Amino acid sequence: MDFATLIDVESLRALIGTPGILVLDCRFDLAAPAAGREAYLRGHIPGARYLDLNGDLSAPVSAASGRHPLPDPEALAALLAGAGLGPDTQAVVYDDSNGSFAARAWWLLRWLRHPKVAVLDGGMSAWLRAGGALESGEPSRGAAGQSRPAAVRVDRRAVLGTDELIAALDNPRTLLIDARAAERFVGAVEPIDPVAGHIPGAVNHPFTANLRADGRFLPPEELERHWHDRLAGASPADVIVMCGSGVTACHNLLALERAGFAGAKLYAGSWSEWIRDPSRPVARG
């Protein structure tokens, strides 16, 4: 069986140690960037490789970019090939933050046109609750890695830059969905970025609304009902998702696909790129 959205703990446990499986640990803490790797070294799912949000899953920040620009696709493809990703590899990504960082890795692999990638439902917490084994330190490199990736062909239709977003917002069919918490969306608080508020016309769907109380995703039929109401008749092809920096928006993209509404696009720069130019409008409330 191929896994393309989520994978449960028992299915992953059955795959550990078999050929053609690559597990990627994406734990990260925005307030303490080294904490994810430190947690990985203390204990991770056996055989997992570590991917750092800032260093691996993002490019360096520029004066015009958001906080987590998309990585160079050639560099990312080479990194993944070195970790053992081949054309037929089943990749599994996980974190300990409700899937918020793992979903970024999931989307990036899909952007690189690798369909066999899934987020571990419930992440490290679910793995530990089920008694999953851990190993510490760096895994043995062995002979897993490929020397070079296959030709890189990103899915350019899946992502928008700021100029493309501005053009899309002129289309009355466009639905822009912001994944940040409600209090950040309305501008009541802003703990990260220098400007509070949201892009005029956007609607709010916090990524945490995709989850059960234990951190696992809602069942597909419940996700379908929630997203059917949020889309309100909009075609997924007209949906653009965003957040603070293009990370948790990927969680909504994963939930949309799980709910049967594949085809939405990512505004990669998101709020932190939008506010780089003070002439761009800001809404509050």
Side-chain angles (χ1 to χ4, degrees):
M1 179 184 297
D2 294 343
F3 297 89
T5 53
L6 299 175
I7 185 171
D8 61 83
V9 167
E10 290 308 314
S11 295
L12 176 58
R13 199 200 303 260
L15 290 174
I16 294 294
T18 64
I21 177 75
L22 174 63
V23 182
L24 299 167
D25 185 318
C26 303
R27 285 177 287 175
F28 194 79
D29 185 338
L30 292 172
R37 177 171 284 279
E38 291 168 358
Y40 167 82
L41 292 173
R42 288 195 300 271
H44 54 263
I45 293 175
R49 306 300 206 243
Y50 183 71
L51 292 180
D52 180 84
L53 175 64
N54 286 346
D56 301 323
L57 302 179
S58 306
V61 175
S62 73
S65 77
R67 288 182 280 108
H68 293 107
L70 295 184
D72 175 77
E74 298 278 352
L76 178 61
L79 175 69
L80 293 169
L85 186 74
D88 298 318
T89 302
Q90 174 66 64
V92 175
V93 293
Y94 73 91
D95 61 29
D96 58 359
S97 303
N98 293 319
S100 57
F101 301 118
R104 165 77 166 210
W106 172 85
W107 184 87
L108 286 171
L109 266 73
R110 299 290 291 270
W111 182 53
L112 293 177
R113 300 179 184 271
H114 188 85
K116 294 173 60 173
V117 54
V119 170
L120 176 61
D121 198 12
M124 179 61 93
S125 296
W127 182 259
L128 293 175
R129 282 197 303 270
L134 296 179
E135 65 179 16
S136 60
E138 296 284 1
S140 172
R141 292 294 162 179
Q146 299 187 141
S147 59
R148 56 187 297 176
V152 176
R153 297 182 303 108
V154 297
D155 184 359
R156 300 190 184 280
R157 299 169 300 175
V159 61
L160 296 179
T162 297
D163 290 343
E164 293 168 307
L165 174 67
I166 292 170
L169 291 175
D170 286 335
N171 184 342
R173 294 195 305 272
T174 295
L175 179 61
L176 178 61
I177 301 176
D178 192 319
R180 291 176 298 162
E183 59 270 23
R184 290 185 68 197
F185 178 80
V186 301
V189 300
E190 183 43 70
I192 302 175
D193 293 307
V195 178
H198 60 268
I199 295 175
V203 299
N204 189 213
H205 189 97
F207 79 92
T208 52
N210 300 319
L211 300 168
R212 313 182 217 208
D214 64 2
R216 291 180 299 148
F217 276 73
L218 295 170
E221 61 276 11
E222 199 167 339
L223 283 174
E224 191 278 335
R225 185 167 61 251
H226 285 201
W227 280 103
H228 178 271
D229 293 344
R230 170 49 66 203
L231 297 184
S235 166
D238 294 322
V239 173
I240 302 167
V241 298
M242 62 168 291
C243 56
S245 65
V247 176
T248 57
C250 298
H251 200 282
N252 276 352
L253 287 169
L254 174 59
L256 278 162
E257 183 153 334
R258 185 75 173 168
F261 299 111
K265 302 174 182 65
L266 173 68
Y267 171 38
S270 284
W271 181 245
S272 56
E273 181 169 315
W274 182 263
I275 60 174
R276 288 287 196 174
D277 184 344
S279 71
R280 293 176 188 141
V282 168
R284 294 186 178 88

